[in-house]
């Protein structure tokens, strides 16, 4: 069976922390019954159209406001950028957050008394993205990625079979068997966000915390740590190198040379002795030091983007020769390569060969050198290309055949050449390097200086120093003749591939054989370094290492409903770039019934196969059979079992990237969705069209809902607008699901409720006038901005008219959502775990002992006895409600 003319896939969301000139791509399919273009998915052609519309609208160094009020520099083509802005806005508005906020919050949380009971991970089993049960119209099953887990930001491996995987939000994991059978080794650290992993010459494992991919859900780190015995030990706070100089930064790379470790960070380039680990880090170079903490411009809105460095190239023959890759991926005046001349760091302006030196052409850069010192390689992402070329942001891949990072450099690959190497990305508008600001890795075979692996969206290999390339890890298999949707086959007659969007790479040995290990948005994979390829240049020997013992899944949401076929419950959840997972009560392997990114989730408590899954901007799809399908829709579209039911704010892009969606607590057939408007539909899971939604209230131009909740027909909606630090405003609107009684609640800027992002409501099931409100961000102790105030949890007993701060000893940490337990207790999800206030008490307790991982949503089981927590980095956990008291 051949692929359909327009093969669909959810857009990979790899959003970034600050951009301008954003263009949102509207939902693709018309509402209503199925057609041949499944709802919500983005074809490569559509991506191309979106990029073509937006490129060239802003020069790489433009600083003027782009009209959306955010004033950020740079321009991204696709909607992937907007999610980053919004994720960051929720935690920083109404101003700038000072360094150290998360570290202080973790210390405060650790001091809270703990409830009894322990969390249980329910998603610690294989998650099969190619599960043959779920080949419905909105699924990516059969694409070839196999078992997946959450994003891996960095990899390291040695010659004794030990492999280390650093995840974006779930910490560092160790395998003693060449990959698989993983164990977490950094759970005691205050940051579970990995930026860099590196083994030094003595076998010590170095960890730089704070993911530096500038994506939506990256968290700042707490510094650099070293583990002296990585084969047996675990990281601890005592292993931090230096002082607090690198706290609240991101770390892109750690490099070694001349008895020092060098760190490329979001606050410049720093170095430290590798022999004596105490003492402060030395700031080697910051292009704009006035914007660093303590500087005269530290409070400037652009401060976070003025000292970004991506890598450090140290000459292995002469460690005194160092080249720094410095610059913001969207472009700035300081972008470029720097070297030290007569003791002063100066920008290289000539004599570099093909590798560009103009600021417009130097963005995110990755270096790698051969073991024998004869070759240096580099990947360069270009701000100019990012802003003017709809096809790719890649400037090129380069080699210095002198072995010196000072060149001269020769270009050995560009995006056109990579596209012709067996790539799946051959459509104009979405070609290799289209996300080179986000996807990069580079490594050289220790045994062969001309054998190189390069990672962008896909994995590329050259065995002749760049004269020819093969796409050994294509984006997916959908576009190839070998693919079919036949559920009797994993991915047609194609070989398995890796997940898309590459970030980390390492080469190590196991049982005497060399393997390359790659980390990407779907976890970790390996193949023999000198593996085999088919006639198209695709590897025949990739193995997924995501065996279920490593759970770094990044959930935005969780849904729980009765499993009517097998007893027990079915658990679903929306994930960053790994679709929607579904775990039925008899499953030994989780399946994926919707592809791409999953946002919020509604699951019928009475029937876990009734599921509404949100993509972005209120794009909602629905199934009433768990999306079980054998793929026959490909020949007969009427056999698809998923429906597009997006409210109209999706088409007008007037909803937030991850928009709020809720069912009435008293009537599961009444749904509330929030964009610019508050939308209500009363057909429950029988809805079949977006036309069935009714706007019951217009929040106003420039405003968009951040949270919604309803009980017994009473509806609460929180909003922001503007939502960034350029005039941030927030509010609450209250009314009824039938459209009557709507009004705005007065919330003064300096009032009881802080002027910060309002993240969630929890309505008392016994009294709809009794409601709790959670507030994101940090208090005025950390946040520079009007009305930042204090507190994170507030209570109203008069339907939202007046509010009382009930935070008490609640840690100063972003609060994300809350749920009222059947006994009247209140559980709150935060960026660092879950806290609980027992009924009749005023003090808060820490629930169990999760690592320092963000919990974005809480749900109760259908019987109310079990609390489910959707973590953004460690999967889904449960705990008995009775154990919280």
């Amino acid at each position: 069976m051949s692929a359909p003319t327009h093969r669909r896939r959810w857009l990979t969301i790899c959003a970034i922390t600050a951009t301008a000139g954003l263009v949102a791509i509207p939902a693709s399919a018309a509402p209503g019954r199925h057609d041949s273009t499944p709802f919500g998915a983005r074809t490569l052609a559509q991506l191309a159209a979106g990029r073509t519309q937006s490129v060239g609208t802003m020069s790489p160094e433009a600083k003027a406001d782009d009209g959306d009020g955010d004033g950020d520099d740079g321009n991204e083509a696709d909607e992937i950028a907007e999610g980053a802005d919004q994720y960051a806005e929720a935690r920083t508005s109404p101003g700038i957050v000072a360094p150290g906020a998360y570290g202080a919050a973790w210390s405060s949380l650790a001091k809270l008394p703990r409830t009894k009971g322990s969390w249980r991970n329910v998603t610690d089993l294989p998650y099969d993205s190619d599960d043959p049960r779920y080949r419905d119209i909105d699924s990516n099953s059969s694409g070839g990625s196999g078992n997946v887990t959450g994003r891996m930001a960095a990899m390291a491996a040695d010659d004794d079979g030990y492999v280390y995987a650093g995840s974006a939000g779930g910490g560092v994991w160790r395998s003693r068997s060449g990959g698989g059978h993983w164990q977490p080794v950094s759970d005691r650290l205050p940051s579970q966000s990995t930026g860099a992993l590196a083994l030094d010459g003595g076998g010590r494992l170095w960890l730089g915390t704070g993911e530096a991919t500038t994506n939506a859900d990256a968290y700042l780190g707490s510094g650099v740590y070293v583990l002296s015995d990585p084969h047996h030990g675990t990281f601890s706070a005592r292993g931090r190198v230096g002082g607090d100089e690198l706290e609240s930064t991101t770390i892109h790379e750690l490099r070694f040379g001349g008895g020092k470790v060098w760190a490329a960070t979001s606050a410049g380039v720093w170095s430290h002795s590798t022999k004596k680990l105490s003492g402060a880090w030395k700031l080697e170079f910051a292009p704009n030091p006035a914007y660093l903490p303590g500087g005269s411009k530290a409070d400037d809105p652009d401060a976070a983007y003025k000292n970004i460095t991506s890598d450090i190239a140290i000459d292995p023959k002469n460690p005194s020769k160092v080249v720094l890759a410095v610059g913001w991926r969207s472009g700035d005046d300081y972008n470029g390569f720097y070297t030290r001349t007569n003791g002063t760091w100066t920008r290289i302006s000539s004599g570099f060969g093909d590798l560009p030196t103009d600021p417009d052409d130097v963005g995110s850069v990755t270096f790698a050198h051969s073991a024998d010192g004869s070759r240096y390689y580099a990947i360069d992402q270009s701000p100019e290309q990012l802003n003017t070329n709809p096809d790719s942001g890649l400037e090129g891949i380069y080699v210095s055949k002198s072995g010196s990072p000072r060149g001269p450099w020769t270009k050995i690959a560009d995006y056109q050449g990579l596209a012709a190497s067996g790539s799946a990305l051959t459509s104009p508008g979405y070609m290799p390097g289209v996300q080179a600001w986000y996807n990069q890795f580079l490594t050289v075979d220790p045994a062969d200086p001309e054998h190189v692996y390069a990672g962008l969206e896909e994995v590329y290999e050259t065995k002749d120093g760049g004269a020819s390339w093969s796409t050994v890890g294509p984006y997916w298999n959908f576009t190839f003749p070998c693919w079919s949707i036949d559920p009797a086959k994993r991915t047609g007659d194609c070989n398995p591939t890796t997940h898309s969007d590459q970030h980390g790479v390492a080469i190590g040995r196991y049982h005497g054989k060399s393997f390359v290990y790659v980390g990407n948005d779907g976890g970790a994979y390996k193949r023999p370094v000198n593996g085999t390829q088919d006639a198209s240049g695709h590897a025949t020997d990739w193995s997924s290492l995501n065996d279920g013992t490593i759970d770094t899944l990044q959930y935005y949401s969780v849904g729980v409903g009765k499993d009517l076929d097998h007893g027990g419950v079915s658990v679903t959840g929306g994930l960053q770039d790994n679709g929607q997972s579904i775990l039925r009560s008899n499953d030994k392997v989780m399946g994926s019934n919707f592809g791409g990114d999953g946002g919020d989730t509604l699951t019928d408590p009475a029937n876990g196969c009734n599921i509404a899954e949100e993509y972005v901007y209120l794009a909602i799809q629905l199934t009433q059979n768990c999306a079980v399908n054998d793929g026959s829709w490909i020949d007969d579209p009427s056999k698809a079992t998923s429906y597009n039911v997006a409210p109209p704010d999706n088409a007008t892009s007037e909803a937030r990237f991850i928009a709020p969606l809720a069912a009435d607590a008293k009537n599961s057939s009444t749904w509330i969705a929030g964009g610019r408007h508050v939308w209500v539909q009363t057909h429950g899971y029988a809805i079949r069209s977006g036309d069935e939604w009714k706007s019951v209230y217009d929040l106003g131009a420039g405003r968009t809902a951040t949270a919604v909740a309803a009980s017994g027909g009473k509806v609460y909606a929180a909003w922001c607008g503007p939502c960034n630090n350029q005039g941030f405003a927030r509010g609450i609107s209250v009314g009824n699901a039938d459209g009557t009684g709507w009004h705005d609640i007065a919330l003064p800027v300096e009032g009881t409720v802080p002027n910060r992002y309002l993240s969630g409501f929890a309505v008392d099931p016994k009294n709809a006038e009794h409601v709790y409100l959670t507030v994101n961000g940090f208090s005025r102790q950390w946040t520079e901005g009007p009305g930042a105030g204090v507190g994170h949890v507030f209570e109203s007993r008069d339907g939202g008219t007046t509010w009382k701060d009930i935070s008490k000893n609640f840690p100063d940490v972003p609060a994300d959502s809350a749920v009222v337990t059947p006994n009247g207790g209140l559980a709150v999800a935060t960026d660092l775990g879950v806290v609980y206030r027992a009924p009749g008490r005023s003090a808060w307790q820490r629930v169990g002992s999760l690592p320092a991982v963000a919990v974005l949503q809480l749900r109760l089981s259908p019987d109310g006895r079990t609390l489910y927590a959707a973590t953004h980095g460690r999967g889904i956990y449960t705990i008995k409600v009775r154990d919280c008291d």
Side-chain angles (χ1 to χ4, degrees), residues 380-423:
D380 177 32
Q381 170 263 324
S382 163
E384 179 72 23
Q385 294 295 316
L386 180 67
N387 285 281
T388 62
N389 184 354
D391 297 335
S392 177
L394 178 68
E395 185 70 21
I397 303 177
Y398 302 83
V399 63
S400 168
K401 293 184 178 180
S402 70
S404 169
R406 296 185 181 180
W409 293 86
T410 302
K411 181 181 278 193
I412 55 174
D414 56 23
Y415 76 91
Q416 295 100 329
L418 295 176
S421 70
S423 171

Side-chain angles (χ1 to χ4, degrees), residues 617-668:
Y617 303 110
L618 277 184
I620 300 169
Q621 68 220 34
L622 174 137
T623 181
Q624 289 195 277
N625 75 333
C626 286
V628 172
N629 198 290
D630 63 2
S632 56
W633 62 269
I634 209 166
D635 294 320
D636 182 357
S638 69
K639 293 185 178 181
T641 52
S642 298
Y643 304 84
N644 168 16
V645 297
D649 278 356
N650 167 248
T652 59
S653 301
E654 291 182 288
R656 288 184 68 76
F657 185 75
I658 300 296
L661 176 68
D664 189 299
K666 299 294 186 182
N667 181 0
S668 62

Side-chain angles (χ1 to χ4, degrees), residues 294-378:
S296 61
K297 297 183 178 181
D299 295 335
D300 189 286
D302 290 332
Y305 314 107
K306 290 296 187 181
N307 288 286
I308 290 178
T309 57
S310 53
D311 209 348
I312 302 133
I314 303 170
D315 191 330
K317 300 174 184 176
N318 184 355
S320 66
K321 294 181 179 179
V322 179
V323 172
L324 313 179
V326 178
W328 172 229
R329 54 158 185 74
S330 291
D332 206 320
D333 292 336
Y334 72 88
N335 285 30
F337 297 100
Y338 292 76
T339 191
R340 190 154 42 196
T341 304
N342 297 323
T344 301
W345 291 101
T346 57
R347 182 155 41 194
I348 296 171
S349 59
S350 62
F352 223 37
D354 292 345
L355 189 58
T357 57
D358 188 284
D360 287 354
D361 295 321
V362 181
S364 182
V365 174
T366 302
F367 291 116
H369 68 79
S370 61
D372 66 1
S374 67
R375 297 287 190 274
Y376 235 108
Y377 294 89

Side-chain angles (χ1 to χ4, degrees), residues 15-56:
I16 46 190
T17 52
T19 56
L22 306 175
V23 175
I25 304 173
S28 58
R33 187 62 185 175
H34 322 289
D35 58 24
S36 62
T37 56
F39 147 79
R42 273 46 171 180
T43 62
L44 300 183
Q46 285 175 306
L47 292 176
R51 286 185 58 80
T52 301
Q53 291 171 7
S54 62
V55 295

Side-chain angles (χ1 to χ4, degrees), residues 756-775:
R756 304 200 308 267
Y757 184 91
L758 308 181
S759 55
F761 294 103
V763 184
D764 185 342
K766 299 178 181 179
N767 178 7
E769 298 293 307
H770 184 200
V771 61
Y772 299 94
L773 170 70
T774 56
V775 181

Side-chain angles (χ1 to χ4, degrees), residues 36-350:
S36 62
T37 56
F39 147 79
R42 273 46 171 180
T43 62
L44 300 183
Q46 285 175 306
L47 292 176
R51 286 185 58 80
T52 301
Q53 291 171 7
S54 62
V55 295
T57 59
M58 180 175 288
S59 66
E61 298 177 9
K63 302 297 186 291
D65 193 337
D66 64 348
D68 66 0
D70 63 14
D72 296 326
D73 58 328
N75 170 48
E76 295 301 335
D78 306 318
E79 59 193 23
I80 57 176
E82 187 68 21
D85 278 340
Q86 295 182 7
Y87 200 85
E89 288 164 3
R91 288 153 178 79
T92 59
S93 294
I96 303 296
V97 176
Y102 273 105
W106 178 248
S107 297
S108 178
L109 182 71
K111 294 176 183 177
L112 288 181
R114 294 183 184 178
T115 64
K116 60 183 180 181
S118 300
W119 290 100
R120 181 177 70 90
N121 187 344
V122 298
T123 53
D124 56 347
L125 71 170
Y127 175 32
D128 186 3
S129 68
D130 291 323
D131 193 318
R133 294 175 292 176
Y134 306 109
R135 300 221 161 156
D136 206 359
I137 197 166
D138 296 321
S139 171
N140 281 344
S141 180
S142 76
S145 296
N147 290 346
V148 297
T149 191
R151 186 170 69 247
M152 291 299 157
M155 303 292 295
D158 64 20
D159 289 339
D160 298 318
Y162 286 79
V163 183
Y164 309 94
S167 68
V172 180
W173 298 70
R174 173 178 60 213
S175 168
R176 295 186 170 101
S177 55
H181 304 288
W182 300 92
Q183 297 174 314
V185 296
S186 66
D187 282 2
R188 292 186 292 167
L189 297 185
S191 173
Q192 298 298 306
S193 176
T194 303
L197 281 177
L199 287 162
D200 66 16
R204 296 178 297 179
L205 181 64
W206 295 68
L207 164 63
T209 60
E211 189 190 14
T213 48
T214 61
N215 61 297
D217 50 358
Y219 283 84
L220 298 176
S222 54
V224 174
Y225 300 83
V226 66
L227 183 56
S228 297
D229 182 12
H231 286 190
H232 305 97
T234 59
F235 285 101
S236 72
R238 293 190 303 274
R240 188 165 79 167
V241 179
D244 59 1
E245 298 82 14
L246 301 186
E247 187 167 328
S248 298
T249 68
T250 62
I251 297 176
H252 199 279
E253 293 287 356
L254 294 172
R255 303 294 188 183
F256 302 98
K260 296 192 293 187
V261 58
W262 295 68
T265 82
S266 55
V269 176
W270 298 71
S271 71
H272 199 283
S273 169
T274 56
K275 298 177 181 179
K276 183 180 179 181
L277 302 183
S278 61
W281 285 81
K282 176 185 177 183
L283 177 60
E284 293 281 355
F285 178 66
N288 296 292
Y291 290 89
L292 294 175
S296 61
K297 297 183 178 181
D299 295 335
D300 189 286
D302 290 332
Y305 314 107
K306 290 296 187 181
N307 288 286
I308 290 178
T309 57
S310 53
D311 209 348
I312 302 133
I314 303 170
D315 191 330
K317 300 174 184 176
N318 184 355
S320 66
K321 294 181 179 179
V322 179
V323 172
L324 313 179
V326 178
W328 172 229
R329 54 158 185 74
S330 291
D332 206 320
D333 292 336
Y334 72 88
N335 285 30
F337 297 100
Y338 292 76
T339 191
R340 190 154 42 196
T341 304
N342 297 323
T344 301
W345 291 101
T346 57
R347 182 155 41 194
I348 296 171
S349 59
S350 62

